[in-house]
Amino acid sequence: QIQLAESGGGLVQPGGSLRLSCVASGRTSSTVSMGWFRRAPGKERVFVTAINWNGGVTYYTDSVKGRFTISRDNAKNTVYLQMNMLKPEDTAVYYCAQAPLPFYSRPYYERDSTYNYWGQGTQVTVSS
């Protein structure tokens, strides 16, 4: 069993920055893909970004491209989401997720069903 724990959420002003962390524990492996999804109030959970096993390949949804950066530190079993130039529409619960294979094509990274472990979520609120 794998447990994922997000942290780093909070309240920030528009234009501000925040870094989320996701730590994996349990019977974890470094040869897995990781992703971030988010769910805004009253909305479905949607794909934000994903990263392959060694960090060499990343994908982003268009709305965050150029503002968000996903990275990972396998020695720490941690994946990060650096969020810059935050907008009110970024307000959501952010979820870390793990997929079993080291690499997928983009369409698979965008599907919730690709991931077999999920964190509890961390709230990000962007408001003045």
Side-chain angles (χ1 to χ4, degrees):
Q1 180 63 239
I2 303 297
Q3 296 84 44
L4 304 178
E6 303 99 332
S7 63
L11 174 65
V12 296
Q13 294 184 337
S17 297
L18 206 60
R19 188 178 78 158
L20 307 183
S21 298
C22 173
V23 179
S25 61
R27 299 177 67 87
T28 187
S29 172
S30 293
T31 57
V32 296
S33 296
M34 302 294 295
W36 288 94
F37 289 71
R38 66 187 182 187
R39 193 201 314 268
K43 306 295 184 181
E44 294 184 341
R45 186 166 60 194
V46 297
F47 171 79
V48 177
T49 181
I51 188 168
N52 81 320
W53 77 281
N54 65 1
V57 179
T58 59
Y59 296 102
Y60 299 89
T61 192
D62 287 346
S63 63
V64 309
K65 198 172 301 180
R67 300 187 298 120
F68 289 13
T69 303
I70 187 172
S71 62
R72 66 192 298 167
D73 185 342
N74 287 344
K76 297 180 179 180
N77 295 126
T78 302
V79 63
Y80 303 96
L81 181 61
Q82 178 67 47
M83 303 183 293
N84 299 323
M85 297 297 295
L86 283 161
K87 305 175 180 180
E89 52 262 46
D90 295 318
T91 296
V93 176
Y94 283 71
Y95 298 89
C96 174
Q98 179 180 287
L101 298 184
F103 178 80
Y104 301 87
S105 59
R106 185 187 178 110
Y108 288 89
Y109 277 123
E110 296 175 343
R111 301 173 187 166
D112 296 48
S113 60
T114 298
Y115 303 83
N116 53 1
Y117 295 101
W118 294 81
Q120 81 286 352
T122 185
Q123 177 71 50
V124 172
T125 302
V126 185
S127 176
S128 59

